[in-house]
Amino acid sequence: MILPGPIRQIGYVVIDLDRALDDWVALGVGPWHVIRRMPQRVTYRGAPCGITLSLALANSGDLQVELICQDDDTPSIFTEFLAASGPGFHQLAYWAEDFDATMRAVAAAGWPVVWSGGEDVGTRFAYVEPPDSPAAVIEIMELNAATRGMAALVRDAAADWDGRDPVREMGV
């Protein structure tokens, strides 16, 4: 088996984060935990890349939803997706207890890594392009104390959410 466990998150690339948040809240999904203008240093198709993005996380049941809005026009996996198909469903994400073993399985399967980073902030991630995938990319995120804590915060907030305070701004 290449990917670890169940799908944990679905990701959408959007061009207007606040409008997308309004649309999802109208569907009863929330509360949203938002990080704005976060710098990210990554490797994009083998070359160093720096972008600024804003993202939002919420849960619907056990499934986390991520909204990603790139705040600049630097070529990236997100601008590539927007140019090809416009905003919408972008990725499925798996959370790996053993990130290194998962990445070895990805390499053995011949799946190209097209976006990766996180070493500088303590949580590694990689976007891969498996053949014939139902998503543009598959994200593999390292499951560690920080990512477990964030996942629990987002999931627990959604479990008893009464519709109040639908957008919760967080710092970088």
Side-chain angles (χ1 to χ4, degrees), residues 104-163:
R104 284 191 298 273
V106 163
W111 296 358
V113 176
V114 296
W115 185 259
S116 63
E119 295 85 357
D120 59 334
V121 295
T123 299
R124 296 173 293 171
F125 60 86
Y127 288 22
V128 300
E129 289 180 328
D132 304 317
S133 173
V137 292
I138 301 293
E139 178 183 7
I140 300 160
M141 187 177 74
E142 183 175 28
L143 191 56
N144 58 28
T147 54
R148 265 191 197 87
M150 180 61 115
L153 171 81
V154 173
R155 183 188 59 247
D156 294 350
D160 297 318
W161 185 51
D162 60 6

Side-chain angles (χ1 to χ4, degrees), residues 62-80:
D62 286 332
L63 185 65
Q64 188 178 89
V65 179
E66 180 179 34
L67 305 178
I68 303 164
C69 182
Q70 187 170 325
D71 297 316
D72 61 36
D73 59 1
T74 303
S76 73
I77 200 71
F78 309 116
T79 59
E80 179 182 299

Side-chain angles (χ1 to χ4, degrees):
M1 182 138 129
I2 298 169
L3 296 169
I7 295 168
R8 299 299 186 111
Q9 181 194 79
I10 55 173
Y12 291 82
V13 174
V14 302
I15 55 175
D16 183 333
L17 183 62
D18 292 310
R19 181 173 173 203
L21 288 166
D22 289 344
D23 292 344
W24 280 92
V25 168
L27 294 174
V29 178
W32 289 89
H33 298 79
V34 178
I35 302 171
R36 295 189 191 266
R37 304 209 47 80
M38 178 178 70
Q40 193 174 62
R41 304 213 48 76
V42 298
T43 300
Y44 170 48
R45 298 198 181 275
C49 177
I51 66 168
T52 302
L53 56 81
S54 296
L55 61 87
L57 301 169
N59 264 54
S60 180
D62 286 332
L63 185 65
Q64 188 178 89
V65 179
E66 180 179 34
L67 305 178
I68 303 164
C69 182
Q70 187 170 325
D71 297 316
D72 61 36
D73 59 1
T74 303
S76 73
I77 200 71
F78 309 116
T79 59
E80 179 182 299
F81 176 78
L82 288 169
S85 58
F89 170 63
H90 181 248
Q91 73 213 38
L92 297 171
Y94 293 79
W95 299 346
E97 294 270 357
D98 188 337
F99 186 82
D100 293 325
T102 301
M103 294 311 296
R104 284 191 298 273
V106 163
W111 296 358
V113 176
V114 296
W115 185 259
S116 63
E119 295 85 357
D120 59 334
V121 295
T123 299
R124 296 173 293 171
F125 60 86
Y127 288 22
V128 300
E129 289 180 328
D132 304 317
S133 173
V137 292
I138 301 293
E139 178 183 7
I140 300 160
M141 187 177 74
E142 183 175 28
L143 191 56
N144 58 28
T147 54
R148 265 191 197 87
M150 180 61 115
L153 171 81
V154 173
R155 183 188 59 247
D156 294 350
D160 297 318
W161 185 51
D162 60 6
R164 288 183 288 177
D165 194 17
V167 176
R168 301 172 184 188
E169 302 285 337
M170 303 178 77
V172 174

